[in-house]
Amino acid sequence: MKQRQLAKVLGALAAATALALTAPGCAYAAEGVLIVNGQEYEDPSGCFAIDWFPSSVTNHTDAIAEVHSGPGCAGPVEWLVYPGETYYTETAQSVFIL
């Protein structure tokens, strides 16, 4: 009986968490500056194109930037650029940061 109640409570908590994370109006942007090939993006959020090679991605935000092999942040993640790091690439085509 107790296991069944625990399962219901955990299920309700999981559903509430999922709803809170997907609710409209819950916008989040990284705080700081993302630099892609010298172009600075303040408090960035979303996908940014890498338009020439070799390229660099410098992350001065509080979030992790995903460097993708394909355009539009598609394809496999080539590298994760942690806050304070710079990544150099000759193959990636886009960067995603939340």
Side-chain angles (χ1 to χ4, degrees):
M1 183 84 160
K2 288 183 181 182
Q3 287 180 339
R4 194 178 273 172
Q5 288 174 333
L6 180 60
K8 285 182 181 181
V9 169
L10 290 176
L13 284 173
T17 301
L19 182 60
L21 292 175
T22 60
C26 290
Y28 174 80
E31 291 184 11
V33 177
L34 179 70
I35 305 168
V36 180
N37 291 333
Q39 175 68 46
E40 294 184 2
Y41 300 96
E42 189 169 342
D43 298 336
S45 179
C47 188
F48 300 88
I50 294 178
D51 50 3
W52 75 74
F53 304 98
S55 298
S56 66
V57 177
T58 302
N59 185 1
H60 293 296
T61 72
D62 60 352
I64 298 170
E66 297 177 346
V67 179
H68 287 264
S69 63
C73 295
V77 173
E78 181 177 300
W79 197 260
L80 296 175
V81 186
Y82 288 86
E85 293 183 345
T86 298
Y87 177 65
Y88 299 94
T89 180
E90 293 187 12
T91 57
Q93 296 185 35
S94 56
V95 179
F96 178 81
I97 191 161
L98 180 65

